[in-house]
Amino acid sequence: DGLARDARWMLKNRMSDTGLIEVMRGEVAFDDSDRWRRNSRLCAVDAAVSTYGLLIALGRLALRAHSPQDAPEWDQAATRLAVAVREHMWDAEWKLFRDVHPKTGKRVGPRSAVCFYPYRTDLADARHLAGLEASLLDPDAFWTTFPVATAPANDVRFSRVGARAGVRGEAPFSGPVVPLVNSHLIDALARVARAYAPHLRPHVAHLVSRTIRMFFDGADPVRIGSHEYYDPLEGRASTHRWASDSTHSWVIDAVVQYVAGVRPHDGGLTIDPMPFGLELVDLSGVRVRGHTVDVRIEGDRVTATIDGSQRAGRLGVPM
């Protein structure tokens, strides 16, 4: 019920005439209606994706909560939002999903890493694959030494330390790697790789590996942290910004899903590791969808044990 209230509030108060979700530039309290009316707003890609995910979840939860009469409301709202995202936010020339001005309906703003969030869902499909490869995987833009830069490195506004007006850390989305964004993009890239672009699987492994590498302070395997953002060229943490406790990202999930390959889904459970090139992966005693799962990977040999029943396979062949 709480999620339903949030979703209905969002659809009533933040859905524009285009069917997209409006947000204000900067931060504002939800109940500060005066500031909301006064400030400039835009229909943001990340807001659309997160709202779409909520609507899809509510459609499924309605059935599980024995409230099937509510499911059509959420399914119809999700469909409307999906149509609006594909129609208004996809820029065929830029090959990117972009923010939209709520009044003019025109696509606005520079390229940003959050423009790839739709690939985490079925909002993006094979028709949008070329845009993902041309933009996200461009080493001169987002795919830096430590990907993913939040702004393209070849943009004049790019700052590897998030500087604005000479003040370091004032604009952390102007270039630095943000672990939260990487968590979304790992899932997005993995979904595309598994759905229709298997040649991108090594890129998923690279992104997970480099993201985890950033959390280590130099070569010391004991000093691990999670800072607000990181230098996209050298992987150095923003040690001047607060303490090492910015845990907005999800990392263990990436290890379980993509290193060990444990992937729960509507149809059950699939073991499908990405090619990390590790000597040994050993995951044991994981509880997933009512099953106990062990996975052992040696080279390209994969052995999965589910509830005591053993399966054997190889990397790149889901089982």
Side-chain angles (χ1 to χ4, degrees):
D1 291 339
L3 288 175
R5 285 194 297 270
D6 287 347
R8 291 190 178 105
W9 183 92
M10 184 71 71
L11 296 174
K12 178 181 178 181
N13 296 284
R14 293 295 183 262
M15 180 168 273
S16 71
D17 293 338
T18 61
L20 299 170
I21 304 300
E22 290 187 40
V23 297
M24 195 189 83
R25 291 185 176 89
E27 298 181 358
V28 62
F30 282 126
D31 58 354
D32 194 344
S33 57
D34 289 337
R35 283 193 63 198
W36 170 258
R37 285 191 294 268
R38 290 197 307 268
N39 285 274
S40 58
R41 306 190 297 274
L42 78 160
C43 297
V45 172
D46 50 341
V49 174
S50 61
T51 303
Y52 179 73
L54 174 59
L55 297 173
I56 292 295
L58 283 168
R60 295 174 177 174
L61 287 170
L63 301 178
R64 293 176 58 183
H66 307 293
S67 300
Q69 69 278 3
D70 294 338
E73 173 188 0
W74 306 121
D75 293 344
Q76 291 166 14
T79 298
R80 180 188 178 193
L81 182 54
V83 170
V85 168
R86 295 176 186 131
E87 179 180 347
H88 298 291
M89 289 187 154
W90 175 250
D91 190 316
E93 181 179 354
W94 284 35
K95 296 181 180 179
L96 276 177
F97 290 91
R98 297 178 62 197
D99 296 338
V100 171
H101 192 286
K103 301 300 182 184
T104 66
K106 294 182 178 180
R107 289 179 286 273
V108 296
R111 293 183 295 164
S112 168
V114 300
C115 294
F116 303 109
Y117 278 17
Y119 292 92
R120 191 169 180 246
T121 71
D122 61 0
L123 290 170
D125 55 31
R127 294 170 296 179
H128 307 105
L129 177 59
L132 181 74
E133 294 186 294
S135 299
L136 177 61
L137 303 182
D138 182 355
D140 293 325
F142 294 99
W143 203 253
T144 45
T145 307
F146 283 85
V148 172
T150 46
N154 52 11
D155 190 303
V156 295
R157 290 159 289 196
F158 171 80
S159 169
R160 57 194 288 188
V161 296
R164 176 188 287 138
V167 180
R168 178 184 177 127
E170 286 298 297
F173 281 81
S174 65
V177 180
V178 175
L180 172 62
V181 176
N182 269 25
S183 294
H184 285 285
L185 297 183
I186 287 168
D187 286 348
L189 194 57
R191 177 190 169 272
V192 172
R194 282 171 167 165
Y196 38 75
H199 62 282
L200 296 181
R201 293 169 72 91
H203 291 83
V204 178
H206 179 76
L207 181 53
V208 173
S209 298
R210 296 304 269 177
T211 299
I212 292 175
R213 176 63 181 81
M214 288 191 308
F215 294 138
F216 288 83
D217 185 0
D220 188 343
V222 177
R223 298 184 62 183
I224 308 171
S226 179
H227 289 267
E228 182 183 2
Y229 63 84
Y230 292 79
D231 184 332
L233 302 185
E234 298 182 1
R236 289 181 293 138
S238 56
T239 52
H240 70 293
R241 289 275 280 199
W242 308 101
S244 175
D245 62 354
S246 182
T247 52
H248 301 101
S249 54
W250 48 96
V251 182
I252 295 174
D253 180 81
V255 174
V256 174
Q257 277 213 67
Y258 307 123
V259 180
V262 179
R263 180 166 62 97
H265 49 78
D266 289 343
L269 175 65
T270 298
I271 306 300
D272 183 21
M274 295 292 172
F276 280 79
L278 301 174
E279 291 183 13
L280 175 67
V281 175
D282 197 355
L283 182 74
S284 61
V286 178
R287 294 288 293 171
V288 184
R289 298 183 70 92
H291 303 286
T292 300
V293 180
D294 301 340
V295 177
R296 187 177 179 87
I297 305 172
E298 298 176 90
D300 66 348
R301 298 195 307 275
V302 182
T303 303
T305 305
I306 302 176
D307 295 332
S309 178
Q310 193 174 92
R311 309 177 189 175
R314 306 189 77 82
L315 282 178
V317 183
M319 59 180 180

PDB file of all heavy atoms in Angstrom, residues 280-303:
ATOM      1  N   LEU A 280      39.747 -19.237 -10.056  1.00  0.00           N
ATOM      2  CA  LEU A 280      38.780 -19.985  -9.261  1.00  0.00           C
ATOM      3  C   LEU A 280      37.713 -19.053  -8.706  1.00  0.00           C
ATOM      4  O   LEU A 280      38.019 -17.974  -8.202  1.00  0.00           O
ATOM      5  CB  LEU A 280      39.480 -20.700  -8.094  1.00  0.00           C
ATOM      6  CG  LEU A 280      38.560 -21.433  -7.096  1.00  0.00           C
ATOM      7  CD1 LEU A 280      37.879 -22.615  -7.765  1.00  0.00           C
ATOM      8  CD2 LEU A 280      39.350 -21.882  -5.871  1.00  0.00           C
ATOM      9  N   VAL A 281      36.464 -19.486  -8.822  1.00  0.00           N
ATOM     10  CA  VAL A 281      35.335 -18.837  -8.162  1.00  0.00           C
ATOM     11  C   VAL A 281      34.626 -19.912  -7.357  1.00  0.00           C
ATOM     12  O   VAL A 281      34.302 -20.980  -7.889  1.00  0.00           O
ATOM     13  CB  VAL A 281      34.354 -18.217  -9.183  1.00  0.00           C
ATOM     14  CG1 VAL A 281      33.127 -17.649  -8.470  1.00  0.00           C
ATOM     15  CG2 VAL A 281      35.037 -17.147 -10.013  1.00  0.00           C
ATOM     16  N   ASP A 282      34.393 -19.666  -6.087  1.00  0.00           N
ATOM     17  CA  ASP A 282      33.745 -20.668  -5.223  1.00  0.00           C
ATOM     18  C   ASP A 282      32.699 -19.965  -4.370  1.00  0.00           C
ATOM     19  O   ASP A 282      33.038 -19.211  -3.454  1.00  0.00           O
ATOM     20  CB  ASP A 282      34.781 -21.364  -4.344  1.00  0.00           C
ATOM     21  CG  ASP A 282      34.245 -22.664  -3.746  1.00  0.00           C
ATOM     22  OD1 ASP A 282      33.047 -22.939  -3.946  1.00  0.00           O
ATOM     23  OD2 ASP A 282      35.007 -23.380  -3.099  1.00  0.00           O
ATOM     24  N   LEU A 283      31.434 -20.185  -4.682  1.00  0.00           N
ATOM     25  CA  LEU A 283      30.315 -19.585  -3.966  1.00  0.00           C
ATOM     26  C   LEU A 283      29.483 -20.724  -3.395  1.00  0.00           C
ATOM     27  O   LEU A 283      29.105 -21.644  -4.132  1.00  0.00           O
ATOM     28  CB  LEU A 283      29.463 -18.746  -4.925  1.00  0.00           C
ATOM     29  CG  LEU A 283      28.267 -18.008  -4.331  1.00  0.00           C
ATOM     30  CD1 LEU A 283      28.732 -16.798  -3.526  1.00  0.00           C
ATOM     31  CD2 LEU A 283      27.317 -17.553  -5.443  1.00  0.00           C
ATOM     32  N   SER A 284      29.185 -20.667  -2.103  1.00  0.00           N
ATOM     33  CA  SER A 284      28.475 -21.801  -1.512  1.00  0.00           C
ATOM     34  C   SER A 284      27.414 -21.352  -0.519  1.00  0.00           C
ATOM     35  O   SER A 284      27.524 -20.290   0.096  1.00  0.00           O
ATOM     36  CB  SER A 284      29.462 -22.741  -0.804  1.00  0.00           C
ATOM     37  OG  SER A 284      30.129 -22.068   0.253  1.00  0.00           O
ATOM     38  N   GLY A 285      26.378 -22.183  -0.422  1.00  0.00           N
ATOM     39  CA  GLY A 285      25.336 -21.972   0.578  1.00  0.00           C
ATOM     40  C   GLY A 285      24.449 -20.779   0.343  1.00  0.00           C
ATOM     41  O   GLY A 285      23.854 -20.242   1.279  1.00  0.00           O
ATOM     42  N   VAL A 286      24.294 -20.347  -0.899  1.00  0.00           N
ATOM     43  CA  VAL A 286      23.453 -19.186  -1.190  1.00  0.00           C
ATOM     44  C   VAL A 286      21.994 -19.628  -1.313  1.00  0.00           C
ATOM     45  O   VAL A 286      21.691 -20.596  -2.015  1.00  0.00           O
ATOM     46  CB  VAL A 286      23.901 -18.501  -2.499  1.00  0.00           C
ATOM     47  CG1 VAL A 286      22.995 -17.334  -2.833  1.00  0.00           C
ATOM     48  CG2 VAL A 286      25.336 -18.025  -2.366  1.00  0.00           C
ATOM     49  N   ARG A 287      21.102 -18.918  -0.633  1.00  0.00           N
ATOM     50  CA  ARG A 287      19.680 -19.228  -0.715  1.00  0.00           C
ATOM     51  C   ARG A 287      19.028 -18.331  -1.769  1.00  0.00           C
ATOM     52  O   ARG A 287      19.053 -17.110  -1.663  1.00  0.00           O
ATOM     53  CB  ARG A 287      19.018 -19.009   0.634  1.00  0.00           C
ATOM     54  CG  ARG A 287      19.477 -19.963   1.726  1.00  0.00           C
ATOM     55  CD  ARG A 287      18.940 -21.367   1.498  1.00  0.00           C
ATOM     56  NE  ARG A 287      17.492 -21.415   1.641  1.00  0.00           N
ATOM     57  CZ  ARG A 287      16.736 -22.463   1.325  1.00  0.00           C
ATOM     58  NH1 ARG A 287      17.305 -23.559   0.848  1.00  0.00           N
ATOM     59  NH2 ARG A 287      15.440 -22.432   1.493  1.00  0.00           N
ATOM     60  N   VAL A 288      18.456 -18.953  -2.805  1.00  0.00           N
ATOM     61  CA  VAL A 288      17.848 -18.215  -3.902  1.00  0.00           C
ATOM     62  C   VAL A 288      16.514 -18.871  -4.271  1.00  0.00           C
ATOM     63  O   VAL A 288      16.486 -20.058  -4.627  1.00  0.00           O
ATOM     64  CB  VAL A 288      18.760 -18.199  -5.150  1.00  0.00           C
ATOM     65  CG1 VAL A 288      18.143 -17.329  -6.239  1.00  0.00           C
ATOM     66  CG2 VAL A 288      20.141 -17.700  -4.798  1.00  0.00           C
ATOM     67  N   ARG A 289      15.431 -18.110  -4.160  1.00  0.00           N
ATOM     68  CA  ARG A 289      14.096 -18.598  -4.546  1.00  0.00           C
ATOM     69  C   ARG A 289      13.782 -19.959  -3.922  1.00  0.00           C
ATOM     70  O   ARG A 289      13.231 -20.852  -4.584  1.00  0.00           O
ATOM     71  CB  ARG A 289      13.969 -18.664  -6.065  1.00  0.00           C
ATOM     72  CG  ARG A 289      14.114 -17.324  -6.759  1.00  0.00           C
ATOM     73  CD  ARG A 289      13.911 -17.434  -8.256  1.00  0.00           C
ATOM     74  NE  ARG A 289      12.522 -17.715  -8.580  1.00  0.00           N
ATOM     75  CZ  ARG A 289      11.600 -16.792  -8.845  1.00  0.00           C
ATOM     76  NH1 ARG A 289      11.937 -15.522  -8.807  1.00  0.00           N
ATOM     77  NH2 ARG A 289      10.366 -17.128  -9.135  1.00  0.00           N
ATOM     78  N   GLY A 290      14.158 -20.138  -2.657  1.00  0.00           N
ATOM     79  CA  GLY A 290      13.851 -21.367  -1.959  1.00  0.00           C
ATOM     80  C   GLY A 290      14.831 -22.500  -2.191  1.00  0.00           C
ATOM     81  O   GLY A 290      14.635 -23.606  -1.683  1.00  0.00           O
ATOM     82  N   HIS A 291      15.900 -22.245  -2.962  1.00  0.00           N
ATOM     83  CA  HIS A 291      16.897 -23.264  -3.253  1.00  0.00           C
ATOM     84  C   HIS A 291      18.222 -22.912  -2.569  1.00  0.00           C
ATOM     85  O   HIS A 291      18.528 -21.741  -2.334  1.00  0.00           O
ATOM     86  CB  HIS A 291      17.139 -23.387  -4.761  1.00  0.00           C
ATOM     87  CG  HIS A 291      15.897 -23.702  -5.538  1.00  0.00           C
ATOM     88  ND1 HIS A 291      15.300 -24.936  -5.547  1.00  0.00           N
ATOM     89  CD2 HIS A 291      15.132 -22.913  -6.342  1.00  0.00           C
ATOM     90  CE1 HIS A 291      14.236 -24.911  -6.320  1.00  0.00           C
ATOM     91  NE2 HIS A 291      14.105 -23.690  -6.819  1.00  0.00           N
ATOM     92  N   THR A 292      19.015 -23.926  -2.295  1.00  0.00           N
ATOM     93  CA  THR A 292      20.388 -23.729  -1.826  1.00  0.00           C
ATOM     94  C   THR A 292      21.324 -23.956  -2.998  1.00  0.00           C
ATOM     95  O   THR A 292      21.289 -25.015  -3.642  1.00  0.00           O
ATOM     96  CB  THR A 292      20.726 -24.706  -0.689  1.00  0.00           C
ATOM     97  OG1 THR A 292      19.821 -24.487   0.404  1.00  0.00           O
ATOM     98  CG2 THR A 292      22.151 -24.494  -0.206  1.00  0.00           C
ATOM     99  N   VAL A 293      22.158 -22.962  -3.282  1.00  0.00           N
ATOM    100  CA  VAL A 293      22.965 -22.957  -4.508  1.00  0.00           C
ATOM    101  C   VAL A 293      24.453 -22.865  -4.174  1.00  0.00           C
ATOM    102  O   VAL A 293      24.869 -22.028  -3.374  1.00  0.00           O
ATOM    103  CB  VAL A 293      22.569 -21.787  -5.428  1.00  0.00           C
ATOM    104  CG1 VAL A 293      23.399 -21.788  -6.705  1.00  0.00           C
ATOM    105  CG2 VAL A 293      21.077 -21.837  -5.744  1.00  0.00           C
ATOM    106  N   ASP A 294      25.245 -23.740  -4.813  1.00  0.00           N
ATOM    107  CA  ASP A 294      26.708 -23.659  -4.793  1.00  0.00           C
ATOM    108  C   ASP A 294      27.178 -23.516  -6.230  1.00  0.00           C
ATOM    109  O   ASP A 294      26.636 -24.162  -7.133  1.00  0.00           O
ATOM    110  CB  ASP A 294      27.343 -24.921  -4.197  1.00  0.00           C
ATOM    111  CG  ASP A 294      26.888 -25.204  -2.772  1.00  0.00           C
ATOM    112  OD1 ASP A 294      26.408 -24.267  -2.109  1.00  0.00           O
ATOM    113  OD2 ASP A 294      27.003 -26.363  -2.337  1.00  0.00           O
ATOM    114  N   VAL A 295      28.175 -22.680  -6.452  1.00  0.00           N
ATOM    115  CA  VAL A 295      28.763 -22.530  -7.790  1.00  0.00           C
ATOM    116  C   VAL A 295      30.279 -22.568  -7.666  1.00  0.00           C
ATOM    117  O   VAL A 295      30.860 -21.869  -6.831  1.00  0.00           O
ATOM    118  CB  VAL A 295      28.333 -21.213  -8.472  1.00  0.00           C
ATOM    119  CG1 VAL A 295      29.017 -21.070  -9.829  1.00  0.00           C
ATOM    120  CG2 VAL A 295      26.822 -21.154  -8.637  1.00  0.00           C
ATOM    121  N   ARG A 296      30.904 -23.363  -8.518  1.00  0.00           N
ATOM    122  CA  ARG A 296      32.367 -23.412  -8.568  1.00  0.00           C
ATOM    123  C   ARG A 296      32.795 -23.268 -10.022  1.00  0.00           C
ATOM    124  O   ARG A 296      32.308 -23.991 -10.902  1.00  0.00           O
ATOM    125  CB  ARG A 296      32.885 -24.737  -8.000  1.00  0.00           C
ATOM    126  CG  ARG A 296      34.410 -24.796  -7.868  1.00  0.00           C
ATOM    127  CD  ARG A 296      34.854 -26.103  -7.244  1.00  0.00           C
ATOM    128  NE  ARG A 296      36.299 -26.205  -7.129  1.00  0.00           N
ATOM    129  CZ  ARG A 296      37.010 -25.756  -6.102  1.00  0.00           C
ATOM    130  NH1 ARG A 296      36.387 -25.159  -5.089  1.00  0.00           N
ATOM    131  NH2 ARG A 296      38.322 -25.895  -6.071  1.00  0.00           N
ATOM    132  N   ILE A 297      33.686 -22.299 -10.269  1.00  0.00           N
ATOM    133  CA  ILE A 297      34.180 -22.052 -11.623  1.00  0.00           C
ATOM    134  C   ILE A 297      35.691 -22.202 -11.602  1.00  0.00           C
ATOM    135  O   ILE A 297      36.384 -21.529 -10.836  1.00  0.00           O
ATOM    136  CB  ILE A 297      33.799 -20.635 -12.106  1.00  0.00           C
ATOM    137  CG1 ILE A 297      32.284 -20.413 -11.991  1.00  0.00           C
ATOM    138  CG2 ILE A 297      34.259 -20.412 -13.545  1.00  0.00           C
ATOM    139  CD1 ILE A 297      31.853 -18.989 -12.257  1.00  0.00           C
ATOM    140  N   GLU A 298      36.198 -23.086 -12.441  1.00  0.00           N
ATOM    141  CA  GLU A 298      37.638 -23.291 -12.594  1.00  0.00           C
ATOM    142  C   GLU A 298      37.965 -23.130 -14.070  1.00  0.00           C
ATOM    143  O   GLU A 298      37.580 -23.970 -14.883  1.00  0.00           O
ATOM    144  CB  GLU A 298      38.039 -24.682 -12.097  1.00  0.00           C
ATOM    145  CG  GLU A 298      37.764 -24.900 -10.620  1.00  0.00           C
ATOM    146  CD  GLU A 298      38.091 -26.321 -10.171  1.00  0.00           C
ATOM    147  OE1 GLU A 298      39.250 -26.550  -9.765  1.00  0.00           O
ATOM    148  OE2 GLU A 298      37.207 -27.181 -10.250  1.00  0.00           O
ATOM    149  N   GLY A 299      38.662 -22.033 -14.391  1.00  0.00           N
ATOM    150  CA  GLY A 299      38.891 -21.746 -15.806  1.00  0.00           C
ATOM    151  C   GLY A 299      37.575 -21.457 -16.481  1.00  0.00           C
ATOM    152  O   GLY A 299      36.840 -20.563 -16.074  1.00  0.00           O
ATOM    153  N   ASP A 300      37.239 -22.244 -17.511  1.00  0.00           N
ATOM    154  CA  ASP A 300      35.949 -22.056 -18.169  1.00  0.00           C
ATOM    155  C   ASP A 300      34.961 -23.160 -17.810  1.00  0.00           C
ATOM    156  O   ASP A 300      33.892 -23.265 -18.401  1.00  0.00           O
ATOM    157  CB  ASP A 300      36.124 -21.960 -19.684  1.00  0.00           C
ATOM    158  CG  ASP A 300      36.629 -23.263 -20.300  1.00  0.00           C
ATOM    159  OD1 ASP A 300      37.062 -24.164 -19.550  1.00  0.00           O
ATOM    160  OD2 ASP A 300      36.575 -23.375 -21.548  1.00  0.00           O
ATOM    161  N   ARG A 301      35.307 -24.000 -16.817  1.00  0.00           N
ATOM    162  CA  ARG A 301      34.409 -25.061 -16.356  1.00  0.00           C
ATOM    163  C   ARG A 301      33.527 -24.544 -15.216  1.00  0.00           C
ATOM    164  O   ARG A 301      34.028 -23.962 -14.246  1.00  0.00           O
ATOM    165  CB  ARG A 301      35.194 -26.285 -15.889  1.00  0.00           C
ATOM    166  CG  ARG A 301      36.035 -26.938 -16.977  1.00  0.00           C
ATOM    167  CD  ARG A 301      36.489 -28.340 -16.545  1.00  0.00           C
ATOM    168  NE  ARG A 301      37.164 -28.333 -15.249  1.00  0.00           N
ATOM    169  CZ  ARG A 301      38.457 -28.078 -15.090  1.00  0.00           C
ATOM    170  NH1 ARG A 301      39.221 -27.820 -16.149  1.00  0.00           N
ATOM    171  NH2 ARG A 301      39.013 -28.103 -13.881  1.00  0.00           N
ATOM    172  N   VAL A 302      32.246 -24.768 -15.334  1.00  0.00           N
ATOM    173  CA  VAL A 302      31.284 -24.302 -14.347  1.00  0.00           C
ATOM    174  C   VAL A 302      30.551 -25.498 -13.753  1.00  0.00           C
ATOM    175  O   VAL A 302      30.000 -26.326 -14.485  1.00  0.00           O
ATOM    176  CB  VAL A 302      30.252 -23.338 -14.976  1.00  0.00           C
ATOM    177  CG1 VAL A 302      29.281 -22.831 -13.902  1.00  0.00           C
ATOM    178  CG2 VAL A 302      30.949 -22.169 -15.654  1.00  0.00           C
ATOM    179  N   THR A 303      30.549 -25.588 -12.436  1.00  0.00           N
ATOM    180  CA  THR A 303      29.803 -26.636 -11.748  1.00  0.00           C
ATOM    181  C   THR A 303      28.833 -25.985 -10.783  1.00  0.00           C
ATOM    182  O   THR A 303      29.234 -25.207  -9.914  1.00  0.00           O
ATOM    183  CB  THR A 303      30.740 -27.581 -10.969  1.00  0.00           C
ATOM    184  OG1 THR A 303      31.700 -28.140 -11.858  1.00  0.00           O
ATOM    185  CG2 THR A 303      29.934 -28.704 -10.327  1.00  0.00           C
TER     186      THR A 303
END
